[in-house]
């Protein structure tokens, strides 16, 4: 059975982090650990770090299917440190984001990781957007987002000289960082505390051992076996999965329900030509329209000095498909046959067609960007990178916003915990999310 957790209370360096990867330990007999964590993205790494710091006497291993850690969602996001403006006051998303941003800044200061508090303007360009903007300000105030203020057209120009709007919400606490660098530093912390990282380990089975191996009682002490597609095996007392784009499939491996289902949405960015970087100082966002599921196109400065524009949001036909023509038959069939996605599409058909159109024709996306910075032209932009978001959907086509925890069934029941969804923005909230998941682990397992 899975449960959704929707509320919670909380207790009152440019050098690239080095994480060693063990890809050679393919012994005939398996290694044994107290806790095995599956998934080397930012959520899995933050959780692994939190757990080993809480329980330094236990043996931990983190298993990742890629050659390196944090190469998918954590390595393909916008790099923004969000402040927590958008979320319903008192909700889990709001609490995690506000606390997570504070923890992230403190962590980067402590570890010497570079970031910039470049701020964000949420800009109203139409009179009808002003009530929504004011509601956002009130929401941010209730969420205890620091430093928020409403500014007029003059205030907008003082902060963003080339931006045009009639009113804006100024969030000076919003920043940017290289989230993959942060995630890798979590992994370094985990290893320095005694944890083991093993890459190129794509989990294919999670099951209970039927009997002790010959000559020992290891099967009794370490009753769970995790096998990969190459036949290697890790044994452990407990398993925690933080699988991101594959979280639903990892749950299914241990007999759990297929829902909520992960549906991948690709976001394609444009990039501003270097000679036009002076047009943008900080993050510039539109006032979100509650009728649509995503935020809309925005201006995002990056730590390397580039400026990303976008993204759109379109269905990806491969869970790790960063290109328009990336297709995986199984992933595509899973998504298109899911009634939840069908209902979401039908409710947002006009929006979806518009997103696809803007993805094909960059001029259409530039036209939207010009509402905020009129000086931008189609010749000023190039096609940029893409990211894929793991969106959890229920069967009614609703976006799942909060935590979904799912335990194993049958013989593995009580020893397996799947994180099927972690509240967005997961990178900003990662340290707070790690605390939450560690609390859940401790409540379920006898560590």
């Amino acid at each position: 059975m899975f449960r959704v957790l929707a509320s919670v209370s909380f207790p009152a360096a440019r050098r690239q982090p080095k994480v060693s990867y063990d890809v050679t330990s393919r012994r005939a007999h398996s290694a044994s650990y107290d806790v095995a964590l599956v998934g080397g993205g930012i959520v899995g790494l933050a959780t692994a770090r939190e757990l080993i710091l809480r329980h330094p006497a236990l043996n931990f291993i983190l298993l990742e299917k890629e050659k390196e850690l944090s190469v998918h969602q954590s390595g393909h996001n916008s790099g923004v440190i969000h402040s927590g403006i958008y979320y319903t006051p008192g909700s889990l998303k709001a609490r995690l984001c506000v606390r997570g941003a504070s923890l992230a800044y403190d962590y980067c200061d402590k570890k010497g990781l570079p970031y910039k508090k470049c701020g964000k303007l949420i800009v109203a360009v139409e009179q009808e957007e002003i009530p929504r903007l004011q509601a956002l300000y009130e929401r941010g105030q209730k969420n205890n987002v620091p430093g928020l203020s409403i500014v007029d057209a003059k205030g907008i120009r003082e902060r963003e000289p080339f931006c045009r709007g009639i009113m804006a919400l100024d969030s000076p606490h919003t920043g940017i960082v290289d989230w993959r660098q942060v995630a890798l530093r979590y992994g370094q912390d985990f290893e320095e505390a005694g944890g083991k990282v093993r890459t190129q380990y794509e989990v294919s089975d999670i099951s209970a051992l039927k009997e002790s191996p010959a000559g020992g009682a290891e099967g009794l002490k370490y009753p769970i076996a995790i096998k990969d597609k190459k036949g290697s095996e890790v044994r452990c007392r407990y398993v925690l999965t933080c699988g991101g784009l594959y979280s639903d499939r990892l749950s299914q491996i241990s007999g759990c329900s297929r829902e909520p289902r992960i549906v991948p949405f690709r976001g394609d960015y444009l990039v501003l030509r270097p000679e036009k970087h002076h047009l943008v100082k900080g993050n510039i966002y539109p006032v979100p329209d509650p009728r649509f599921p995503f935020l809309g196109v925005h201006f995002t400065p990056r730590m390397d000095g580039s400026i990303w524009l976008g993204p759109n949001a379109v269905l990806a036909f491969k869970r790790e498909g960063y290109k328009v023509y990336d297709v995986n038959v199984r992933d595509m069939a899973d998504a298109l046959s899911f009634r939840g996605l069908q209902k979401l599409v039908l409710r947002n058909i006009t929006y979806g067609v518009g997103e696809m159109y803007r993805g094909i024709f960059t001029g259409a996306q530039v036209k939207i960007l010009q509402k905020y910075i009129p000086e931008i032209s189609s010749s000023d932009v190039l096609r940029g990178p893409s990211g894929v978001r793991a969106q959890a959907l229920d069967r009614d086509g609703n976006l799942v916003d909060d935590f979904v925890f799912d335990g194993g069934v049958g013989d593995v029941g009580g020893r397996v915990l799947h994180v099927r969804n972690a509240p967005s923005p997961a990178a900003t909230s990662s340290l707070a999310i790690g605390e939450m998941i560690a609390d859940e682990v401790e409540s379920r397992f006898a560590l």
Side-chain angles (χ1 to χ4, degrees), residues 213-243:
E218 190 176 67
L220 300 176
K221 186 176 180 181
Y222 302 101
I224 303 298
I226 306 174
K227 297 180 181 178
D228 76 349
K229 292 189 173 182
K230 298 178 181 179
S232 185
E233 181 178 281
V234 167
R235 293 178 185 150
C236 58
R237 293 168 57 211
Y238 301 105
V239 182
L240 172 67
T241 72
C242 300

PDB file of all heavy atoms in Angstrom, residues 213-243:
ATOM      1  N   PRO A 213      22.099 -18.787   2.351  1.00  0.00           N
ATOM      2  CA  PRO A 213      23.087 -19.370   1.444  1.00  0.00           C
ATOM      3  C   PRO A 213      23.861 -20.477   2.150  1.00  0.00           C
ATOM      4  O   PRO A 213      23.949 -20.514   3.374  1.00  0.00           O
ATOM      5  CB  PRO A 213      23.987 -18.175   1.095  1.00  0.00           C
ATOM      6  CG  PRO A 213      23.779 -17.190   2.192  1.00  0.00           C
ATOM      7  CD  PRO A 213      22.382 -17.386   2.682  1.00  0.00           C
ATOM      8  N   ALA A 214      24.395 -21.347   1.346  1.00  0.00           N
ATOM      9  CA  ALA A 214      25.115 -22.491   1.909  1.00  0.00           C
ATOM     10  C   ALA A 214      26.235 -22.036   2.824  1.00  0.00           C
ATOM     11  O   ALA A 214      27.019 -21.161   2.484  1.00  0.00           O
ATOM     12  CB  ALA A 214      25.668 -23.362   0.779  1.00  0.00           C
ATOM     13  N   GLY A 215      26.292 -22.638   3.993  1.00  0.00           N
ATOM     14  CA  GLY A 215      27.385 -22.388   4.917  1.00  0.00           C
ATOM     15  C   GLY A 215      27.249 -21.163   5.777  1.00  0.00           C
ATOM     16  O   GLY A 215      28.211 -20.743   6.401  1.00  0.00           O
ATOM     17  N   GLY A 216      26.062 -20.545   5.824  1.00  0.00           N
ATOM     18  CA  GLY A 216      25.943 -19.355   6.661  1.00  0.00           C
ATOM     19  C   GLY A 216      24.507 -18.956   6.904  1.00  0.00           C
ATOM     20  O   GLY A 216      23.578 -19.519   6.334  1.00  0.00           O
ATOM     21  N   ALA A 217      24.361 -17.969   7.770  1.00  0.00           N
ATOM     22  CA  ALA A 217      23.027 -17.457   8.115  1.00  0.00           C
ATOM     23  C   ALA A 217      22.803 -16.070   7.540  1.00  0.00           C
ATOM     24  O   ALA A 217      21.962 -15.328   8.011  1.00  0.00           O
ATOM     25  CB  ALA A 217      22.874 -17.424   9.634  1.00  0.00           C
ATOM     26  N   GLU A 218      23.557 -15.721   6.510  1.00  0.00           N
ATOM     27  CA  GLU A 218      23.478 -14.381   5.957  1.00  0.00           C
ATOM     28  C   GLU A 218      22.079 -14.062   5.445  1.00  0.00           C
ATOM     29  O   GLU A 218      21.610 -12.942   5.526  1.00  0.00           O
ATOM     30  CB  GLU A 218      24.503 -14.210   4.827  1.00  0.00           C
ATOM     31  CG  GLU A 218      24.649 -12.774   4.373  1.00  0.00           C
ATOM     32  CD  GLU A 218      25.721 -12.590   3.324  1.00  0.00           C
ATOM     33  OE1 GLU A 218      25.533 -13.108   2.210  1.00  0.00           O
ATOM     34  OE2 GLU A 218      26.742 -11.948   3.614  1.00  0.00           O
ATOM     35  N   GLY A 219      21.402 -15.050   4.890  1.00  0.00           N
ATOM     36  CA  GLY A 219      20.058 -14.819   4.385  1.00  0.00           C
ATOM     37  C   GLY A 219      19.095 -14.389   5.454  1.00  0.00           C
ATOM     38  O   GLY A 219      18.110 -13.725   5.178  1.00  0.00           O
ATOM     39  N   LEU A 220      19.371 -14.781   6.709  1.00  0.00           N
ATOM     40  CA  LEU A 220      18.518 -14.370   7.810  1.00  0.00           C
ATOM     41  C   LEU A 220      18.836 -12.948   8.243  1.00  0.00           C
ATOM     42  O   LEU A 220      17.944 -12.176   8.561  1.00  0.00           O
ATOM     43  CB  LEU A 220      18.680 -15.337   8.988  1.00  0.00           C
ATOM     44  CG  LEU A 220      18.328 -16.801   8.696  1.00  0.00           C
ATOM     45  CD1 LEU A 220      18.619 -17.651   9.926  1.00  0.00           C
ATOM     46  CD2 LEU A 220      16.866 -16.919   8.291  1.00  0.00           C
ATOM     47  N   LYS A 221      20.120 -12.593   8.241  1.00  0.00           N
ATOM     48  CA  LYS A 221      20.515 -11.256   8.661  1.00  0.00           C
ATOM     49  C   LYS A 221      20.298 -10.232   7.558  1.00  0.00           C
ATOM     50  O   LYS A 221      19.939  -9.076   7.823  1.00  0.00           O
ATOM     51  CB  LYS A 221      21.989 -11.267   9.075  1.00  0.00           C
ATOM     52  CG  LYS A 221      22.452  -9.945   9.663  1.00  0.00           C
ATOM     53  CD  LYS A 221      23.897 -10.026  10.141  1.00  0.00           C
ATOM     54  CE  LYS A 221      24.349  -8.698  10.736  1.00  0.00           C
ATOM     55  NZ  LYS A 221      25.764  -8.748  11.176  1.00  0.00           N
ATOM     56  N   TYR A 222      20.523 -10.647   6.318  1.00  0.00           N
ATOM     57  CA  TYR A 222      20.356  -9.762   5.168  1.00  0.00           C
ATOM     58  C   TYR A 222      19.351 -10.412   4.214  1.00  0.00           C
ATOM     59  O   TYR A 222      19.737 -11.025   3.218  1.00  0.00           O
ATOM     60  CB  TYR A 222      21.695  -9.517   4.476  1.00  0.00           C
ATOM     61  CG  TYR A 222      22.738  -8.924   5.392  1.00  0.00           C
ATOM     62  CD1 TYR A 222      23.731  -9.724   5.948  1.00  0.00           C
ATOM     63  CD2 TYR A 222      22.714  -7.574   5.712  1.00  0.00           C
ATOM     64  CE1 TYR A 222      24.694  -9.182   6.798  1.00  0.00           C
ATOM     65  CE2 TYR A 222      23.664  -7.026   6.567  1.00  0.00           C
ATOM     66  CZ  TYR A 222      24.643  -7.838   7.107  1.00  0.00           C
ATOM     67  OH  TYR A 222      25.582  -7.296   7.953  1.00  0.00           O
ATOM     68  N   PRO A 223      18.065 -10.295   4.500  1.00  0.00           N
ATOM     69  CA  PRO A 223      17.059 -11.100   3.798  1.00  0.00           C
ATOM     70  C   PRO A 223      16.623 -10.576   2.436  1.00  0.00           C
ATOM     71  O   PRO A 223      15.859 -11.241   1.749  1.00  0.00           O
ATOM     72  CB  PRO A 223      15.883 -11.072   4.766  1.00  0.00           C
ATOM     73  CG  PRO A 223      16.017  -9.774   5.486  1.00  0.00           C
ATOM     74  CD  PRO A 223      17.479  -9.535   5.622  1.00  0.00           C
ATOM     75  N   ILE A 224      17.079  -9.387   2.040  1.00  0.00           N
ATOM     76  CA  ILE A 224      16.653  -8.813   0.771  1.00  0.00           C
ATOM     77  C   ILE A 224      17.787  -8.864  -0.240  1.00  0.00           C
ATOM     78  O   ILE A 224      18.930  -8.493   0.060  1.00  0.00           O
ATOM     79  CB  ILE A 224      16.185  -7.360   0.947  1.00  0.00           C
ATOM     80  CG1 ILE A 224      15.058  -7.278   1.977  1.00  0.00           C
ATOM     81  CG2 ILE A 224      15.735  -6.777  -0.388  1.00  0.00           C
ATOM     82  CD1 ILE A 224      13.817  -8.054   1.595  1.00  0.00           C
ATOM     83  N   ALA A 225      17.473  -9.339  -1.437  1.00  0.00           N
ATOM     84  CA  ALA A 225      18.450  -9.408  -2.525  1.00  0.00           C
ATOM     85  C   ALA A 225      18.053  -8.416  -3.614  1.00  0.00           C
ATOM     86  O   ALA A 225      16.902  -8.392  -4.054  1.00  0.00           O
ATOM     87  CB  ALA A 225      18.517 -10.814  -3.104  1.00  0.00           C
ATOM     88  N   ILE A 226      19.008  -7.606  -4.033  1.00  0.00           N
ATOM     89  CA  ILE A 226      18.810  -6.665  -5.136  1.00  0.00           C
ATOM     90  C   ILE A 226      19.707  -7.105  -6.278  1.00  0.00           C
ATOM     91  O   ILE A 226      20.932  -7.128  -6.132  1.00  0.00           O
ATOM     92  CB  ILE A 226      19.170  -5.225  -4.720  1.00  0.00           C
ATOM     93  CG1 ILE A 226      18.403  -4.814  -3.463  1.00  0.00           C
ATOM     94  CG2 ILE A 226      18.890  -4.247  -5.856  1.00  0.00           C
ATOM     95  CD1 ILE A 226      18.841  -3.458  -2.924  1.00  0.00           C
ATOM     96  N   LYS A 227      19.106  -7.461  -7.394  1.00  0.00           N
ATOM     97  CA  LYS A 227      19.876  -7.948  -8.539  1.00  0.00           C
ATOM     98  C   LYS A 227      19.853  -6.921  -9.657  1.00  0.00           C
ATOM     99  O   LYS A 227      18.877  -6.191  -9.835  1.00  0.00           O
ATOM    100  CB  LYS A 227      19.301  -9.279  -9.036  1.00  0.00           C
ATOM    101  CG  LYS A 227      19.397 -10.398  -8.002  1.00  0.00           C
ATOM    102  CD  LYS A 227      18.808 -11.691  -8.547  1.00  0.00           C
ATOM    103  CE  LYS A 227      18.885 -12.803  -7.502  1.00  0.00           C
ATOM    104  NZ  LYS A 227      18.290 -14.063  -7.984  1.00  0.00           N
ATOM    105  N   ASP A 228      20.954  -6.895 -10.418  1.00  0.00           N
ATOM    106  CA  ASP A 228      20.984  -6.018 -11.579  1.00  0.00           C
ATOM    107  C   ASP A 228      20.887  -6.843 -12.852  1.00  0.00           C
ATOM    108  O   ASP A 228      20.805  -8.084 -12.815  1.00  0.00           O
ATOM    109  CB  ASP A 228      22.230  -5.125 -11.567  1.00  0.00           C
ATOM    110  CG  ASP A 228      23.506  -5.852 -11.974  1.00  0.00           C
ATOM    111  OD1 ASP A 228      23.509  -7.093 -12.071  1.00  0.00           O
ATOM    112  OD2 ASP A 228      24.526  -5.155 -12.188  1.00  0.00           O
ATOM    113  N   LYS A 229      20.861  -6.163 -13.989  1.00  0.00           N
ATOM    114  CA  LYS A 229      20.633  -6.842 -15.262  1.00  0.00           C
ATOM    115  C   LYS A 229      21.819  -7.678 -15.713  1.00  0.00           C
ATOM    116  O   LYS A 229      21.701  -8.460 -16.661  1.00  0.00           O
ATOM    117  CB  LYS A 229      20.265  -5.819 -16.336  1.00  0.00           C
ATOM    118  CG  LYS A 229      18.896  -5.165 -16.090  1.00  0.00           C
ATOM    119  CD  LYS A 229      18.451  -4.329 -17.265  1.00  0.00           C
ATOM    120  CE  LYS A 229      17.025  -3.840 -17.060  1.00  0.00           C
ATOM    121  NZ  LYS A 229      16.529  -3.055 -18.218  1.00  0.00           N
ATOM    122  N   LYS A 230      22.973  -7.527 -15.038  1.00  0.00           N
ATOM    123  CA  LYS A 230      24.145  -8.316 -15.384  1.00  0.00           C
ATOM    124  C   LYS A 230      24.321  -9.516 -14.467  1.00  0.00           C
ATOM    125  O   LYS A 230      25.302 -10.231 -14.576  1.00  0.00           O
ATOM    126  CB  LYS A 230      25.389  -7.438 -15.333  1.00  0.00           C
ATOM    127  CG  LYS A 230      25.364  -6.282 -16.330  1.00  0.00           C
ATOM    128  CD  LYS A 230      26.612  -5.423 -16.206  1.00  0.00           C
ATOM    129  CE  LYS A 230      26.577  -4.261 -17.187  1.00  0.00           C
ATOM    130  NZ  LYS A 230      27.779  -3.396 -17.050  1.00  0.00           N
ATOM    131  N   GLY A 231      23.373  -9.717 -13.541  1.00  0.00           N
ATOM    132  CA  GLY A 231      23.429 -10.878 -12.674  1.00  0.00           C
ATOM    133  C   GLY A 231      24.114 -10.663 -11.344  1.00  0.00           C
ATOM    134  O   GLY A 231      24.214 -11.588 -10.539  1.00  0.00           O
ATOM    135  N   SER A 232      24.606  -9.455 -11.102  1.00  0.00           N
ATOM    136  CA  SER A 232      25.220  -9.173  -9.818  1.00  0.00           C
ATOM    137  C   SER A 232      24.142  -9.034  -8.747  1.00  0.00           C
ATOM    138  O   SER A 232      22.971  -8.775  -9.054  1.00  0.00           O
ATOM    139  CB  SER A 232      26.047  -7.893  -9.902  1.00  0.00           C
ATOM    140  OG  SER A 232      26.743  -7.660  -8.695  1.00  0.00           O
ATOM    141  N   GLU A 233      24.543  -9.203  -7.491  1.00  0.00           N
ATOM    142  CA  GLU A 233      23.573  -9.190  -6.401  1.00  0.00           C
ATOM    143  C   GLU A 233      24.136  -8.459  -5.186  1.00  0.00           C
ATOM    144  O   GLU A 233      25.305  -8.619  -4.838  1.00  0.00           O
ATOM    145  CB  GLU A 233      23.204 -10.629  -6.020  1.00  0.00           C
ATOM    146  CG  GLU A 233      22.167 -10.739  -4.910  1.00  0.00           C
ATOM    147  CD  GLU A 233      21.804 -12.184  -4.612  1.00  0.00           C
ATOM    148  OE1 GLU A 233      21.007 -12.769  -5.389  1.00  0.00           O
ATOM    149  OE2 GLU A 233      22.343 -12.731  -3.636  1.00  0.00           O
ATOM    150  N   VAL A 234      23.294  -7.643  -4.567  1.00  0.00           N
ATOM    151  CA  VAL A 234      23.605  -6.997  -3.298  1.00  0.00           C
ATOM    152  C   VAL A 234      22.553  -7.430  -2.299  1.00  0.00           C
ATOM    153  O   VAL A 234      21.355  -7.432  -2.615  1.00  0.00           O
ATOM    154  CB  VAL A 234      23.603  -5.459  -3.441  1.00  0.00           C
ATOM    155  CG1 VAL A 234      23.607  -4.774  -2.067  1.00  0.00           C
ATOM    156  CG2 VAL A 234      24.795  -4.985  -4.263  1.00  0.00           C
ATOM    157  N   ARG A 235      22.997  -7.817  -1.098  1.00  0.00           N
ATOM    158  CA  ARG A 235      22.057  -8.214  -0.057  1.00  0.00           C
ATOM    159  C   ARG A 235      22.031  -7.153   1.034  1.00  0.00           C
ATOM    160  O   ARG A 235      23.030  -6.513   1.323  1.00  0.00           O
ATOM    161  CB  ARG A 235      22.442  -9.578   0.515  1.00  0.00           C
ATOM    162  CG  ARG A 235      22.268 -10.698  -0.504  1.00  0.00           C
ATOM    163  CD  ARG A 235      22.679 -12.045   0.025  1.00  0.00           C
ATOM    164  NE  ARG A 235      22.603 -13.036  -1.038  1.00  0.00           N
ATOM    165  CZ  ARG A 235      23.383 -14.103  -1.116  1.00  0.00           C
ATOM    166  NH1 ARG A 235      24.300 -14.313  -0.194  1.00  0.00           N
ATOM    167  NH2 ARG A 235      23.241 -14.952  -2.098  1.00  0.00           N
ATOM    168  N   CYS A 236      20.866  -7.009   1.630  1.00  0.00           N
ATOM    169  CA  CYS A 236      20.724  -5.956   2.624  1.00  0.00           C
ATOM    170  C   CYS A 236      19.573  -6.272   3.572  1.00  0.00           C
ATOM    171  O   CYS A 236      18.763  -7.181   3.332  1.00  0.00           O
ATOM    172  CB  CYS A 236      20.483  -4.608   1.946  1.00  0.00           C
ATOM    173  SG  CYS A 236      19.024  -4.596   0.878  1.00  0.00           S
ATOM    174  N   ARG A 237      19.504  -5.477   4.632  1.00  0.00           N
ATOM    175  CA  ARG A 237      18.384  -5.586   5.567  1.00  0.00           C
ATOM    176  C   ARG A 237      17.195  -4.781   5.079  1.00  0.00           C
ATOM    177  O   ARG A 237      16.048  -5.203   5.209  1.00  0.00           O
ATOM    178  CB  ARG A 237      18.811  -5.092   6.946  1.00  0.00           C
ATOM    179  CG  ARG A 237      19.852  -5.967   7.644  1.00  0.00           C
ATOM    180  CD  ARG A 237      20.422  -5.260   8.862  1.00  0.00           C
ATOM    181  NE  ARG A 237      19.357  -4.875   9.802  1.00  0.00           N
ATOM    182  CZ  ARG A 237      19.403  -3.819  10.593  1.00  0.00           C
ATOM    183  NH1 ARG A 237      20.453  -3.008  10.545  1.00  0.00           N
ATOM    184  NH2 ARG A 237      18.413  -3.559  11.420  1.00  0.00           N
ATOM    185  N   TYR A 238      17.464  -3.586   4.517  1.00  0.00           N
ATOM    186  CA  TYR A 238      16.393  -2.695   4.084  1.00  0.00           C
ATOM    187  C   TYR A 238      16.773  -2.033   2.762  1.00  0.00           C
ATOM    188  O   TYR A 238      17.951  -1.853   2.454  1.00  0.00           O
ATOM    189  CB  TYR A 238      16.136  -1.607   5.133  1.00  0.00           C
ATOM    190  CG  TYR A 238      15.763  -2.147   6.493  1.00  0.00           C
ATOM    191  CD1 TYR A 238      16.694  -2.136   7.535  1.00  0.00           C
ATOM    192  CD2 TYR A 238      14.501  -2.679   6.730  1.00  0.00           C
ATOM    193  CE1 TYR A 238      16.368  -2.639   8.780  1.00  0.00           C
ATOM    194  CE2 TYR A 238      14.167  -3.186   7.976  1.00  0.00           C
ATOM    195  CZ  TYR A 238      15.101  -3.171   8.997  1.00  0.00           C
ATOM    196  OH  TYR A 238      14.770  -3.678  10.228  1.00  0.00           O
ATOM    197  N   VAL A 239      15.729  -1.659   2.004  1.00  0.00           N
ATOM    198  CA  VAL A 239      15.928  -1.014   0.706  1.00  0.00           C
ATOM    199  C   VAL A 239      15.119   0.277   0.663  1.00  0.00           C
ATOM    200  O   VAL A 239      13.948   0.305   1.059  1.00  0.00           O
ATOM    201  CB  VAL A 239      15.466  -1.909  -0.465  1.00  0.00           C
ATOM    202  CG1 VAL A 239      15.738  -1.223  -1.799  1.00  0.00           C
ATOM    203  CG2 VAL A 239      16.145  -3.258  -0.410  1.00  0.00           C
ATOM    204  N   LEU A 240      15.741   1.328   0.148  1.00  0.00           N
ATOM    205  CA  LEU A 240      15.051   2.590  -0.120  1.00  0.00           C
ATOM    206  C   LEU A 240      15.318   2.952  -1.575  1.00  0.00           C
ATOM    207  O   LEU A 240      16.477   2.999  -1.999  1.00  0.00           O
ATOM    208  CB  LEU A 240      15.580   3.696   0.798  1.00  0.00           C
ATOM    209  CG  LEU A 240      15.079   5.111   0.486  1.00  0.00           C
ATOM    210  CD1 LEU A 240      13.587   5.238   0.762  1.00  0.00           C
ATOM    211  CD2 LEU A 240      15.868   6.146   1.283  1.00  0.00           C
ATOM    212  N   THR A 241      14.260   3.214  -2.338  1.00  0.00           N
ATOM    213  CA  THR A 241      14.453   3.618  -3.727  1.00  0.00           C
ATOM    214  C   THR A 241      14.003   5.061  -3.923  1.00  0.00           C
ATOM    215  O   THR A 241      12.958   5.475  -3.428  1.00  0.00           O
ATOM    216  CB  THR A 241      13.683   2.719  -4.724  1.00  0.00           C
ATOM    217  OG1 THR A 241      12.280   2.977  -4.647  1.00  0.00           O
ATOM    218  CG2 THR A 241      13.960   1.241  -4.445  1.00  0.00           C
ATOM    219  N   CYS A 242      14.831   5.814  -4.639  1.00  0.00           N
ATOM    220  CA  CYS A 242      14.528   7.194  -5.036  1.00  0.00           C
ATOM    221  C   CYS A 242      14.815   7.271  -6.532  1.00  0.00           C
ATOM    222  O   CYS A 242      15.827   7.828  -6.952  1.00  0.00           O
ATOM    223  CB  CYS A 242      15.381   8.185  -4.259  1.00  0.00           C
ATOM    224  SG  CYS A 242      15.178   8.140  -2.466  1.00  0.00           S
ATOM    225  N   GLY A 243      13.921   6.681  -7.311  1.00  0.00           N
ATOM    226  CA  GLY A 243      14.220   6.410  -8.706  1.00  0.00           C
ATOM    227  C   GLY A 243      13.867   7.479  -9.709  1.00  0.00           C
ATOM    228  O   GLY A 243      14.105   7.296 -10.902  1.00  0.00           O
TER     229      GLY A 243
END
